Amino acid sequence: MRISSFSMPTAVQRTITAAMFHSVAVAWLLALPLLAPAQPALTPDSPLPRLLAERKVLTNRYAAARAQRNSLFGNKPSKKDLQEVVDALQGIVDKDQQIVDALNKTTVAAQTAAQHYGTTAAQLQNTSRDDRNLTAQRLNEVENDLQNAQQREKKQLSRVQELEAELNEAQSGRLWRDGLLAGLGLLCAGLFVAWRRRA
């Protein structure tokens, strides 16, 4: 007996997509002032290009996890698929923090060359903090949805076990009834034969 699948609510899907789009936009906003060729703050040993490349890999992993569908559950995300989405989002949140940390170090170095970096960094930090808070909120929503799906699955499994027990009980009753009918049939046949002999 197949257990029916669970799916992520459309509202949660939309909010996660919006959070990820916002997160990508913030990451590029963080990097744009540093990628300008006239700025001396981006040194050859700067970790920002590497961190941004790693973040892109994590974003691709998130997109792949979101696209996962389990044919066993009617092409809807399974519990494992939802967990992969949660893990991918957590990786992006952590990488965003590393990017913000690297940006903070770069900003401190750049403040000696130009005062406007201080204002830009403050604005980007506020935006990034808001983005991290929004992403963390969406992540909590996905985790709650995963827990709800697990609870639904447990209830469904319990119902399946109850139905299997009822089926086993019905089959046992049927075997007993069939045996009783066969015994009564043999008894009737024996009585009929005995009656014929007497007659």
Side-chain angles (χ1 to χ4, degrees):
M1 186 174 293
R2 195 175 77 183
I3 298 173
S4 62
S5 65
F6 51 84
S7 61
M8 188 184 303
T10 306
V12 173
Q13 291 175 343
R14 283 197 303 265
T15 54
I16 290 175
T17 303
M20 291 310 304
F21 177 79
H22 188 266
S23 187
V24 170
V26 167
W28 280 109
L29 285 174
L30 292 171
L32 283 178
L34 302 170
L35 296 176
Q39 302 297 338
L42 188 60
T43 59
D45 60 344
S46 173
L48 285 172
R50 174 183 55 81
L51 291 173
L52 290 172
E54 290 172 357
R55 190 186 190 286
K56 184 174 182 182
V57 170
L58 291 171
T59 303
N60 291 340
R61 178 181 158 209
Y62 167 77
R66 290 269 300 121
Q68 281 288 357
R69 295 292 184 266
N70 190 328
S71 61
L72 182 65
F73 296 108
N75 287 330
K76 293 182 180 178
S78 67
K79 194 169 53 171
K80 181 181 176 185
D81 297 335
L82 286 174
Q83 186 60 52
E84 288 176 2
V85 170
V86 169
D87 293 343
L89 278 174
Q90 186 60 56
I92 291 172
V93 169
D94 294 342
K95 191 58 64 178
D96 282 348
Q97 184 60 52
Q98 293 175 18
I99 290 171
V100 170
D101 292 343
L103 180 64
N104 287 339
K105 291 178 185 176
T106 305
T107 300
V108 168
Q111 282 175 347
T112 59
Q115 183 61 39
H116 74 277
Y117 272 110
T119 304
T120 302
Q123 292 172 347
L124 291 176
Q125 285 173 354
N126 289 337
T127 304
S128 177
R129 184 182 62 248
D130 293 343
D131 177 62
R132 287 196 316 274
N133 292 338
L134 179 63
T135 304
Q137 180 183 352
R138 299 301 178 255
L139 181 62
N140 287 335
E141 290 176 2
V142 172
E143 288 174 342
N144 289 338
D145 186 59
L146 178 61
Q147 290 174 357
N148 291 337
Q150 289 171 337
Q151 290 175 357
R152 286 196 303 271
E153 185 178 31
K154 285 179 183 176
K155 288 180 181 177
Q156 289 170 345
L157 183 59
S158 175
R159 180 60 183 152
V160 166
Q161 290 171 344
E162 288 174 5
L163 290 173
E164 287 176 349
E166 289 175 9
L167 178 61
N168 290 337
E169 185 178 342
Q171 287 175 341
S172 297
R174 180 181 173 189
L175 287 174
W176 184 86
R177 185 195 65 203
D178 290 348
L180 181 62
L181 288 175
L184 288 174
L186 288 173
L187 181 62
C188 288
L191 290 174
F192 179 73
V193 168
W195 177 76
R196 291 277 297 197
R197 284 182 183 171
R198 285 185 183 180

